[in-house]
Amino acid sequence: MKPSLKRRLWHQITGMLVPAWLVLGIVSVVLYRGSSFGPWLMVHLLLLGALTTAILVWSQHFADSLLKNTAPGGRYWLGVRLTVHTVGAAMVMIGMTGAWWYAVLAGGILVGINALVHATILVRQLRGALPARFSPLVRYYIAAAGCLLVGVTLGILMAHPGSTTAGDATAAADSYERLYIAHIGLNLLGWVGLTVIGTVALLLPTVLHSRVLSTTTAAARPTLPILLAGLVVLGSGTYADSRIITAAGVVIYLVGLARVLGELVGHVRRSPAVSYAGWSLTAALAWFALCAVGFAAVVVRAASWSDAAAGLEALVPYFAVGFGGQIMIGALSFLIPVVLGGGPRASKATARELDRAGLFRVAVVNGALVLTLLPLSDLVTDVLGAVILATLAFFIVLMMRALRINRKNRTPPGSGLPPLAHDVAAVPAPQPRSRRSMVVAAAAALALTLAIGVALDPSGVSLASGSGSNATGHTTTVDVTMADTRFSPDTIDVPVGDTLVITLTNTDGMLHDLVFSSGVESGSVEPKATTTVEVGVIDADLDGWCSIGGHRLLGMLLTVNAVGAESADSDDSSQLRHGAMGSDASEGTFAADDIDVMAEPGSDFVARDARLAPTAPVTVHTSTMTVRNTETEVAPGVTQMLWTYNGTAPGPVLRGRVNDVFEITFVNEGTIGHSLDFHAGSLAPDKPMQTIDPGEELTYRFTATRSGVWLYHCSTMPMSVHLANGMFGAVIIDPPGMSVVDQEYVLIQSEFYLGHQGEEGDAIKVATQRPDLLTFNGYANQYVTAPLTATVGETVRIWVLDAGPNESSSFHVVGGQFDTVFSEGEYLLRDGGSTGTGGAQALALMPAQGGFVELTFDEAGTYPFVSHVMSDAEKGARGLFLVTG
């Protein structure tokens, strides 16, 4: 045979091993899906069979090319090594499915020895090669082979019958799960991951037609040691029985991976993918990164090694298909035309065939993979899985066609003659379909797949037979997402008697939780975090809600329907869902009767200074408003966790003149989303009043064009709860021509709806407008303990703002008469009116209204001031003026 034909034939023969393993993988899914070893077999046929075979072939091919130094024995000895690996892998799978450990042992030894030989040959090539720019990438293949050797050894130990039965059962189970996690880490992140990283550093830019720099991040000296250090720490963590160390190893590995992926992202941005190979490789690398991050998250969040192993077991199929399957087929789609050659015409025709419907195939595979992450029934998920495998398997058909097309379009060596004119492959290819049409077609295919799955299984759950609360022994697991202050889904159907487990993910930028009427709680779930809630056996309908920040009132509710349970006679759940409050709805919270507002505060009590500072002689006022959760005493012995601006409720008082500019830097250091709404400014609320998440900030700038005492507050819904929990304050804009007085005070009336001691207020009380306390400046009766002061004959101005959120005010000074009243931007009375003898007794304000009164005390004494809504005064809205001669 001619050398070129031998070369082509070699690649055709070895190239058939990969499709053969893929076909066996599809067959295993069809025949053994319901068996205990079915998922294991499918994953190993793909990873240990098809992907490892492809790695052995192509890592050797790339090493030969990068080092310009052919491996000892050439293609013949590589063929021998492929045969040894194929036999070993087959023995491992036969031994596992037949429970023949010695077959697993023999097959594992063959695979391990083959990996050792592969690494040895690469080391010899590297030592004998001349220096080259990218030769360091071959070290990835050597390190990967070492990982495979250790990973296979761990797999053999796991397969031993005594690995889960000897000794203490719990200890044995833990040992097995630790072996499993190390086995997964070294094989997937090590053998497959390192090989792929060393290859795509050059392959992806080549596929994208992006210029490869003289050096790459992967070839840089620090990158491989970082990755290997991560794998060593990962293995050490499993050996040392430490999940934290194990997760730390994955994090270290991710640091090295990020270096390489960052460079590859730059290539994708500069030269976006336009072929199946480019799209498939890019998608595969995205899944690789996500699965690696998921690896760390699963291990660190798991309550035990068993939980960690179960989480990884669910992650492996996405690694195998999303990453392994796509990286392999994408690489082959690009490399097959290059290796087969045959002249430009043959290569282009071959590549065109392998690229057929490329974007459609990639969109279907990745779209279906994403859909399987949703809480769908097993049957719907199986239908999606079948579509994924069928789409990937279409590569085999295209490859067969591509080989035939390459053969027909090859230019005879040395002849310079074109292929035969009657060859259909020589006819110019039709124009490819547009990318948009392929994406639309993929979306339609996925929609049809879902429709078929739902038609086959409309309910998505199995109805439990029988009735009553007897446990079925079955567990229903549901994924619930917290987003936009909603649970999704917000209704869960569970067969009566099933145990319900909820995987709860918070995709909002604020804190949430899940509380059930049965008493089960998730605890606080941080933004972007996931937790598992063991709800228990479901024997009746169950209501749940988010208990944070009034989110329940906004409709953040979750209903569990017990399918097959007898109908409840009570309407308690309906009352709960609509926020109705029974006798125990606020059990454990303060009630007005439980608080002695007349009690003396502690000796260390300091009242808030009610004196108003004079207006600063500037035209631009800059300040920072920082949200903090601050535990604050609001009455003697009563503390609440308030949401505050700058640590106080009310927040700081701002003061200026008409046409002054206020520039506020708003910072959220709280635990949930908050906002800031200044009534003193007239501007579109879209941007300055938007809710910002914890850790964010924005700048709020407005010009004060009108005078008065203006409210500012948080406008995040439910606004009433945020106001009632301390998020308010005052901006005073002096009216032009305002007279000079001797004393100025500011009093902001507000309400408290008390929750548990030291916790946030009770949102249900807010909704039903049942305040426990009313206060001036945030503390009940504080100015009884620490009276405001004045002197006989002085003119005193008192600014009053009703912050609400619900109650009105009627400000009155007992024994005093107002000669000036200013309310909502207008003087109702000034200097006694037109006669000079007019007076007023109260300043009436609705929530969010404000003004001021002026008076002169003619005699020394003590003058109470109150809200003349007398029940409110009795709840703390009162104080004293101490007037001296």
Side-chain angles (χ1 to χ4, degrees):
M1 291 183 181
K2 296 180 180 180
S4 61
L5 181 59
K6 288 182 180 179
R7 177 173 177 271
R8 187 174 78 255
L9 182 60
W10 155 257
H11 286 295
Q12 288 177 349
I13 293 172
T14 56
M16 292 307 297
L17 287 173
V18 174
W21 284 113
L22 287 175
V23 170
L24 288 175
I26 295 170
V27 171
S28 73
V29 172
V30 175
L31 296 181
Y32 302 114
R33 184 182 68 84
S35 68
S36 59
F37 59 82
W40 180 95
L41 184 59
M42 186 274 289
V43 167
H44 282 75
L45 283 167
L46 177 59
L47 296 179
L48 183 60
L51 188 54
T52 297
T53 299
I55 288 174
L56 290 171
V57 174
W58 296 107
S59 62
Q60 188 64 72
H61 172 78
F62 273 93
D64 292 350
S65 301
L66 293 173
L67 300 176
K68 308 299 182 184
N69 184 20
T70 305
R75 290 192 291 270
Y76 176 81
W77 284 108
L78 178 56
V80 171
R81 286 187 277 136
L82 287 175
T83 302
V84 170
H85 173 77
T86 301
V87 172
M91 291 179 68
V92 167
M93 294 178 212
I94 291 171
M96 286 297 296
T97 54
W100 301 318
W101 183 74
Y102 287 104
V104 176
L105 175 62
I109 290 173
L110 288 178
V111 172
I113 290 176
N114 197 62
L116 182 60
V117 172
H118 181 65
T120 303
I121 290 174
L122 292 174
V123 170
R124 289 186 59 186
Q125 283 184 271
L126 187 61
R127 287 180 176 176
L130 295 174
R133 286 188 302 165
F134 303 117
S135 59
L137 295 176
V138 177
R139 296 191 181 103
Y140 282 81
Y141 305 151
I142 298 169
C147 290
L148 178 60
L149 178 61
V150 178
V152 167
T153 303
L154 296 175
I156 294 172
L157 294 174
M158 291 166 55
H160 191 281
S163 65
T164 58
T165 58
D168 178 71
T170 302
D174 269 356
S175 176
Y176 179 89
E177 309 299 355
R178 287 153 55 196
L179 284 173
Y180 174 81
I181 291 169
H183 172 74
I184 292 294
L186 290 170
N187 283 339
L188 297 187
L189 301 181
W191 166 239
V192 179
L194 292 180
T195 302
V196 168
I197 292 170
T199 302
V200 297
L202 294 181
L203 180 60
L204 184 60
T206 304
V207 171
L208 299 176
H209 303 292
S210 177
R211 186 171 69 89
V212 181
L213 303 176
S214 59
T215 58
T216 68
T217 301
R221 186 177 297 273
T223 305
L224 180 58
I226 292 174
L227 295 165
L228 286 175
L231 293 171
V232 170
V233 173
L234 185 158
S236 301
T238 58
Y239 180 80
D241 196 13
S242 171
R243 292 190 301 279
I244 295 298
I245 295 177
T246 303
V250 184
V251 172
I252 295 171
Y253 182 95
L254 285 169
V255 171
L257 177 62
R259 288 169 55 90
V260 180
L261 291 182
E263 184 178 70
L264 296 178
V265 168
H267 286 295
V268 174
R269 287 178 176 174
R270 291 190 296 272
S271 182
V274 295
S275 66
Y276 174 80
W279 291 316
S280 186
L281 291 174
T282 303
L285 291 173
W287 281 107
F288 183 37
L290 290 173
C291 289
V293 172
F295 194 130
V298 164
V299 173
V300 78
R301 291 182 61 83
S304 64
W305 287 110
S306 179
D307 289 344
L312 289 182
E313 188 174 357
L315 196 64
V316 166
Y318 295 94
F319 193 108
V321 177
F323 171 59
Q326 291 197 101
I327 203 79
M328 176 178 61
I329 295 175
L332 290 175
S333 297
F334 176 77
L335 293 171
I336 285 174
V338 175
V339 173
L340 290 179
R345 193 181 194 93
S347 294
K348 289 181 180 179
T350 306
R352 188 165 53 241
E353 183 62 23
L354 291 171
D355 197 47
R356 186 182 293 273
L359 187 55
F360 171 84
R361 290 153 57 201
V362 170
V364 167
V365 169
N366 289 279
L369 279 171
V370 171
L371 288 175
T372 60
L373 295 170
L374 301 177
L376 304 172
S377 69
D378 290 343
L379 182 56
V380 176
T381 301
D382 289 344
V383 173
L384 288 168
V387 169
I388 293 170
L389 290 178
T391 306
L392 291 175
F394 187 60
F395 166 76
I396 300 173
V397 177
L398 294 179
M399 191 181 77
M400 297 297 103
R401 289 170 54 89
L403 292 174
R404 180 172 60 85
I405 288 172
N406 182 272
R407 185 175 63 253
K408 291 183 177 182
N409 281 270
R410 296 184 70 82
T411 302
S415 67
L417 297 175
L420 297 177
H422 64 269
D423 253 330
V424 293
V427 177
Q431 286 294 107
R433 296 175 63 187
S434 71
R435 296 178 193 174
R436 178 178 296 179
S437 64
M438 284 193 283
V439 172
V440 171
L446 292 174
L448 179 61
T449 301
L450 287 175
I452 292 172
V454 172
L456 294 174
D457 184 12
S459 65
V461 295
S462 302
L463 296 179
S465 58
S467 59
S469 60
N470 294 328
T472 63
H474 180 261
T475 298
T476 296
T477 302
V478 180
D479 293 328
V480 174
T481 300
M482 299 185 287
D484 300 325
T485 326
R486 291 289 187 276
F487 291 107
S488 179
D490 61 1
T491 300
I492 300 172
D493 292 334
V494 182
V496 65
D498 273 19
T499 297
L500 175 61
V501 176
I502 294 177
T503 301
L504 194 62
T505 302
N506 183 3
T507 62
D508 257 351
M510 64 183 77
L511 203 68
H512 289 304
D513 67 5
L514 175 58
V515 175
F516 283 101
S517 53
S518 61
V520 174
E521 299 183 7
S522 68
S524 297
V525 184
E526 299 286 342
K528 314 307 177 187
T530 298
T531 190
T532 300
V533 184
E534 303 277 352
V535 183
V537 176
I538 301 301
D539 54 9
D541 293 349
L542 195 62
D543 286 284
W545 60 90
C546 177
S547 67
I548 292 177
H551 294 173
R552 176 181 178 185
L553 298 178
L554 286 178
M556 198 167 182
L557 306 165
L558 178 67
T559 299
V560 178
N561 293 325
V563 179
E566 295 180 1
S567 299
D569 294 330
S570 68
D571 61 350
D572 292 344
S573 63
S574 174
Q575 292 179 352
L576 175 65
R577 179 160 293 274
H578 290 88
M581 202 170 75
S583 60
D584 61 348
S586 299
E587 183 179 357
T589 62
F590 287 99
D593 293 342
D594 301 328
I595 304 165
D596 183 5
V597 294
M598 298 302 295
E600 290 289 331
S603 58
D604 57 348
F605 171 75
V606 177
R608 177 168 176 140
D609 190 352
R611 289 174 296 183
L612 182 62
T615 308
V618 296
T619 58
V620 178
H621 307 263
T622 60
S623 59
T624 299
M625 291 281 191
T626 302
V627 174
R628 298 188 182 96
N629 290 9
T630 306
E631 187 171 349
T632 305
E633 188 175 66
V634 296
V638 179
T639 62
Q640 295 283 273
M641 182 60 71
L642 301 183
W643 304 328
T644 66
Y645 295 115
N646 291 3
T648 64
V653 176
L654 307 182
R655 189 175 192 183
R657 298 178 178 86
V658 173
N659 295 322
D660 281 3
V661 174
F662 290 80
E663 186 171 291
I664 314 297
T665 301
F666 176 46
V667 182
N668 187 356
E669 293 183 0
T671 53
I672 63 175
H674 292 295
S675 57
L676 193 55
D677 173 5
F678 280 98
H679 290 195
S682 177
L683 68 170
D686 305 63
K687 293 183 179 179
M689 301 181 197
Q690 65 180 299
T691 297
I692 63 173
D693 293 329
E696 296 182 346
E697 66 177 59
L698 60 76
T699 299
Y700 195 131
R701 184 182 177 92
F702 67 89
T703 300
T705 57
R706 299 184 184 278
S707 61
V709 51
W710 302 90
L711 177 69
Y712 70 81
H713 63 96
C714 179
S715 57
T716 300
M717 296 299 290
M719 202 181 303
S720 60
V721 174
H722 287 247
L723 269 161
N725 217 54
M727 304 199 75
F728 57 87
V731 178
I732 293 176
I733 307 299
D734 295 344
M738 187 172 59
S739 59
V740 177
V741 295
D742 300 300
Q743 299 269 16
E744 279 190 287
Y745 293 99
V746 58
L747 299 173
I748 303 174
Q749 179 179 309
S750 65
E751 305 137 35
F752 285 102
Y753 302 80
L754 301 177
H756 294 271
Q757 178 82 324
E759 297 183 6
E760 285 88 356
D762 189 320
I764 294 178
K765 292 180 182 178
V766 178
T768 54
Q769 302 184 23
R770 297 171 57 183
D772 298 302
L773 296 174
L774 277 92
T775 70
F776 289 124
N777 293 346
Y779 193 99
N781 294 334
Q782 64 177 314
Y783 300 117
V784 173
T785 301
L788 306 182
T789 60
T791 302
V792 171
E794 286 184 335
T795 301
V796 178
R797 177 181 297 133
I798 308 163
W799 295 85
V800 184
L801 174 67
D802 184 357
N806 298 316
E807 299 296 311
S808 59
S809 178
S810 178
F811 181 74
H812 170 69
V813 177
V814 179
Q817 295 178 330
F818 307 142
D819 58 56
T820 298
V821 177
F822 180 92
S823 177
E824 287 295 284
E826 183 62 75
Y827 285 97
L828 305 183
L829 177 69
R830 188 170 190 179
D831 296 331
S834 58
T835 64
T837 59
Q841 55 196 309
L843 171 61
L845 301 171
M846 297 296 289
Q849 290 186 335
F852 66 79
V853 295
E854 295 176 4
L855 77 163
T856 301
F857 296 102
D858 296 327
E859 295 181 2
T862 301
Y863 295 77
F865 60 86
V866 297
S867 170
H868 221 286
V869 181
M870 293 312 300
S871 60
D872 291 346
E874 292 160 3
K875 292 178 181 177
R878 66 193 190 96
L880 300 174
F881 269 103
L882 182 60
V883 179
T884 60

